[in-house]
Amino acid sequence: MGRIFNFYSGPATLPEEILKQAASELIDYKNSGMSIMETSHRSKIYEEVHNEAISLIRSLFKVPDNYNVLFLQGGASSQFFMIPMNLIGEGETADYINTGEWTNKAIKEAKILGKNINVIASSESTNFDRIPKESEYKINNKAQYLYIASNNTIFGTEYKKYPETNGVPLVIDASSDIFSYPVDWKNIGLIYAGTQKNAGPSGMAIVIIRKDLCVDKNKNIPTMLRYAIHAENNSLFNTPPTFTIYLVNLNLKWLKSKGGVEGIQKINQEKAKLIYDVIDNSEGYYKGHAQKDSRSLMNITFNLKSKELEEKFAKEGEKSGLIGLKGHRSVGGIRASTYNAMPVEGCEKLAQYMKDFMKNNK
Ligand SMILES: *Cc1c(COP(=O)(O)O)cnc(C)c1O
């Protein structure tokens, strides 16, 4: 059996090319007589991989010089507490916009720490089907940051433009859309992503933090949870997940071959359009969850008229080589994750499958 089209939300599909390269180098990495995962994280061959990955992130994502690029453990979820721990000091506050489960979790962790945070906008009343408009909220100009999730993996909504913050640093959970479009760095204080959706395999977060925020503001933070210590040590304070970083590096080279984030953005727009067009031309047979102006290019969520039909859609899809289409339990229905590594052919096949299914299941 060959490769199938995998629409899982994460861990998610990876480019076949990089899997093949990793397979070919697995036992003997560049004539070293060992695998990259067996070598010391202080060795020259590993350091080359590590530093190449950082410099590719810098060049492809156009990261300005006044930011650190860090590889941190504990996935994206550890950032939910590291951010308030490091960035909110005694007597200080931060603002959050709640657009779904992942921001909810981040809000909860900040509160566990006893931090004084304000949820200034939320789309909860309509089951997170949209991104709140800037006219609906006011950012506290004394906030240490404004926290958003740029793409809401579960509900299928995405910011088309980051909020204008007038100098308040933006903190962005970009776990499910990092490297899928170029960003405007003007207001960004920190942008981070768990690696398993758009950057590689699971187990790590890429954190890009402005240097002036990367300071030891609070004294009671365990060493491993301090941004400053990881920045001082080039993310080699302790043993990093070396094999994950190796695969992230291969993935970034692949991204470069696709024209970088600008090139992949065009491809992603084309891919998502194939599926949204079927939804919009289905006369209500497929009902998109997200409001049109908040639609995600990475996670496309929709419902059919009954649970039974949705189950049949996902099951028969599997038989046609389209897997991972079942939606998250909080939205139900169907979710197709179309991250950078999903080939155009996968989306073409899904769009055709949707048309055929509709015809055969009126
Ligand atoms: C998947 C995801 C997370 C959680 O990632 P983990 O690495 O499992 O902690 C956080 N935020 C968003 C937006 C996600 O999509």
Side-chain angles (χ1 to χ4, degrees):
M1 189 177 159
R3 299 261 300 161
I4 50 171
F5 292 115
N6 159 10
F7 291 91
Y8 281 123
S9 59
T13 192
L14 290 165
E16 189 172 350
E17 295 92 314
I18 81 163
L19 297 173
K20 284 187 170 148
Q21 184 172 347
S24 77
E25 296 178 337
L26 189 65
I27 293 178
D28 182 2
Y29 178 73
K30 293 191 174 166
N31 294 320
S32 65
M34 59 189 161
S35 169
I36 191 73
M37 71 175 116
E38 298 172 293
T39 186
S40 165
H41 59 298
R42 312 276 176 211
S43 70
K44 198 163 177 305
I45 56 168
Y46 174 70
E47 278 208 330
E48 264 169 29
V49 169
H50 189 93
N51 291 332
E52 188 176 42
I54 293 170
S55 73
L56 277 167
I57 291 171
R58 287 196 174 282
S59 61
L60 293 172
F61 212 31
K62 309 215 163 37
V63 181
D65 288 342
N66 61 325
Y67 288 76
N68 292 311
V69 176
L70 307 178
F71 297 142
L72 303 181
Q73 292 167 71
S77 299
S78 294
Q79 295 309 306
F80 299 163
F81 56 85
M82 274 185 79
I83 289 162
M85 256 182 178
N86 283 272
L87 302 190
I88 307 177
E90 210 38 54
E92 294 174 343
T93 68
D95 287 351
Y96 281 69
I97 296 179
N98 187 12
T99 48
E101 300 232 339
W102 295 117
T103 48
N104 245 329
K105 286 187 174 168
I107 290 163
K108 189 173 152 217
E109 295 298 305
K111 287 186 174 164
I112 288 174
L113 290 167
K115 299 289 184 183
N116 183 8
I117 61 156
N118 300 304
V119 178
I120 59 167
S122 168
S123 50
E124 188 164 13
S125 65
T126 52
N127 199 21
F128 299 118
D129 65 349
R130 64 190 191 94
I131 300 295
K133 292 193 174 57
E134 287 187 64
S135 55
E136 293 172 40
Y137 54 85
K138 201 169 170 313
I139 303 162
N140 173 1
N141 60 12
K142 292 219 174 63
Q144 295 306 300
Y145 58 83
L146 171 66
Y147 185 102
I148 64 168
S150 50
N151 184 71
N152 297 282
T153 324
I154 292 171
F155 295 93
T157 62
E158 188 173 26
Y159 283 79
K160 299 297 153 196
K161 189 184 154 287
Y162 295 156
E164 180 48 64
T165 58
N166 290 318
V168 172
L170 260 180
V171 169
I172 306 169
D173 176 359
S175 290
S176 48
D177 68 353
I178 196 163
F179 305 146
S180 68
Y181 52 85
V183 298
D184 176 0
W185 289 92
K186 192 179 72 178
N187 292 312
I188 296 178
L190 185 158
I191 183 167
Y192 75 95
T195 40
Q196 70 273 31
K197 280 123 188 181
N198 233 357
S202 61
M204 192 176 80
I206 296 168
V207 176
I208 308 174
I209 178 172
R210 221 169 62 197
K211 287 180 179 167
D212 61 299
L213 300 175
C214 205
V215 291
D216 281 333
K217 173 187 266 193
N218 294 313
K219 298 300 162 216
N220 59 347
I221 305 175
T223 312
M224 266 298 281
L225 303 183
R226 292 171 180 258
Y227 291 123
I229 199 89
H230 292 289
E232 280 160 26
N233 290 278
N234 190 30
S235 302
L236 289 160
F237 170 70
N238 76 324
T239 319
T242 54
F243 196 64
T244 289
I245 293 167
Y246 159 77
L247 285 165
V248 166
N249 185 34
L250 291 185
N251 199 42
L252 290 162
K253 287 185 191 168
W254 171 85
L255 180 59
K256 190 173 177 183
S257 78
K258 295 283 166 188
V261 295
E262 294 82 4
I264 210 78
Q265 179 182 32
K266 290 204 187 80
I267 300 171
N268 288 333
Q269 284 163 344
E270 191 188 312
K271 276 156 47 186
K273 184 172 187 301
L274 288 167
I275 297 161
Y276 283 124
D277 278 354
V278 178
I279 293 174
D280 291 341
N281 295 324
S282 73
E283 290 169 2
Y285 187 87
Y286 297 112
K287 286 185 284 298
H289 177 72
Q291 294 189 16
K292 280 191 183 174
D293 58 3
S294 298
R295 280 176 166 176
S296 167
L297 297 188
M298 298 280 105
N299 308 97
I300 301 172
T301 49
F302 57 92
N303 289 83
L304 281 78
K305 71 171 177 261
S306 71
K307 265 206 168 68
E308 293 69 43
L309 210 53
E310 287 167 347
E311 254 161 47
K312 189 175 181 201
F313 180 92
K315 266 218 186 85
E316 287 188 4
E318 277 184 23
K319 285 189 209 133
S320 318
L322 305 166
I323 73 155
L325 288 169
K326 197 169 174 301
H328 188 273
R329 59 191 180 278
S330 50
V331 191
I334 306 297
R335 170 174 54 178
S337 297
T338 54
Y339 300 123
N340 285 356
M342 171 56 65
V344 177
E345 299 76 52
C347 292
E348 284 169 350
K349 193 164 170 187
L350 174 58
Q352 188 57 50
Y353 170 68
M354 289 170 73
K355 288 183 208 161
D356 295 342
F357 187 89
M358 181 166 74
K359 216 182 293 160
N360 299 331
N361 295 274
K362 273 290 177 205

